[in-house]
């Protein structure tokens, strides 16, 4: 079953269960997927759908951070609840150790030796971890390992 079909099925389940919170988040995801489908003018592949969901996840993470800075705990809690629902549709995220290992292997492969090689390493690492790791974590891992 494709990711889009899974989301549609989960929407039906949330409707039957009268789970308003889950339903509203799934509807937002479904709307984002439909907008992307119209934009690209074809049915979305699982990879394309994953990119849309990742984008929605990042938006919610950034919103939660901004709400926390503004001392809006009520909005932080609701946004974090949304994040938990969106996370169900993301692939299993890599741990910090796994990211650091991939970065170390990539540094060896590319022959990077200093911070000047940052772009080359990031360009090689990101396709390996696409959808499975937050870019900020990868960025930090590359910087820390190149600056040793």
């Amino acid at each position: 079953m494709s990711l889009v079909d899974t989301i549609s099925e989960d929407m039906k389940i949330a409707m039957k269960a009268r789970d308003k919170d889950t339903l509203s988040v799934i509807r937002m995801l479904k709307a984002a997927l439909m907008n992307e489908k119209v934009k690209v003018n074809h049915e979305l592949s699982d990879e394309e759908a994953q990119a849309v969901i990742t984008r929605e996840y990042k938006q919610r993470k950034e919103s939660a951070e901004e709400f926390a800075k503004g001392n809006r705990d009520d909005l932080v809690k609701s946004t974090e609840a949304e994040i938990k629902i969106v996370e169900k549709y993301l692939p299993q995220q890599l741990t910090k150790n796994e990211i650091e290992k991939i970065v170390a292997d990539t540094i060896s492969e590319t022959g990077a030796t200093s911070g000047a090689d940052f772009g080359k390493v990031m360009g090689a690492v990101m396709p390996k971890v696409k959808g499975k790791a937050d870019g900020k974590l990868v960025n930090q891992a590359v910087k820390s390992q190149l600056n040793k």
Side-chain angles (χ1 to χ4, degrees):
M1 183 182 290
S2 75
L3 186 56
V4 176
D5 294 337
T6 302
I7 290 172
S8 295
E9 287 300 313
D10 287 352
M11 188 167 111
K12 290 176 193 172
I13 292 167
M15 286 173 149
K16 289 178 183 175
R18 300 189 191 279
D19 184 352
K20 291 179 182 175
D21 296 333
T22 302
L23 184 59
S24 71
V25 174
I26 291 175
R27 281 185 171 149
M28 283 189 276
L29 288 176
K30 196 139 171 68
L33 291 167
M34 292 301 285
N35 288 339
E36 187 70 15
K37 178 182 171 184
V38 168
K39 183 177 165 186
V40 298
N41 202 23
H42 64 78
E43 291 294 324
L44 297 178
S45 67
D46 274 351
E47 190 173 292
E48 291 169 322
Q50 200 67 59
V52 172
I53 292 171
T54 301
R55 184 172 58 231
E56 293 295 314
Y57 174 77
K58 284 181 184 177
Q59 286 175 350
R60 282 169 179 74
K61 277 289 228 197
E62 290 169 1
S63 295
E65 290 171 12
E66 291 301 316
F67 294 147
K69 286 179 187 173
N71 294 322
R72 293 294 311 268
D73 293 336
D74 55 330
L75 294 174
V76 171
K77 286 180 184 176
S78 66
T79 305
E80 286 177 348
E82 289 180 9
I83 288 169
K84 287 192 186 328
I85 295 167
V86 174
E87 281 177 339
K88 291 192 304 188
Y89 303 105
L90 292 174
Q92 182 67 36
Q93 297 293 297
L94 296 171
T95 65
K96 188 173 182 179
N97 291 337
E98 291 171 327
I99 293 170
E100 288 175 356
K101 182 175 181 348
I102 291 170
V103 168
D105 293 345
T106 306
I107 288 173
S108 297
E109 290 169 12
T110 59
T113 56
S114 68
D117 297 322
F118 177 79
K120 181 167 64 170
V121 175
M122 283 297 289
V125 170
M126 288 312 289
K128 295 178 183 179
V129 299
K130 186 175 182 179
K132 297 183 214 159
D134 184 12
K136 288 181 185 178
L137 293 175
V138 175
N139 186 317
Q140 291 169 350
V142 171
K143 282 182 181 176
S144 70
Q145 290 189 30
L146 285 177
N147 294 330
K148 284 185 179 176

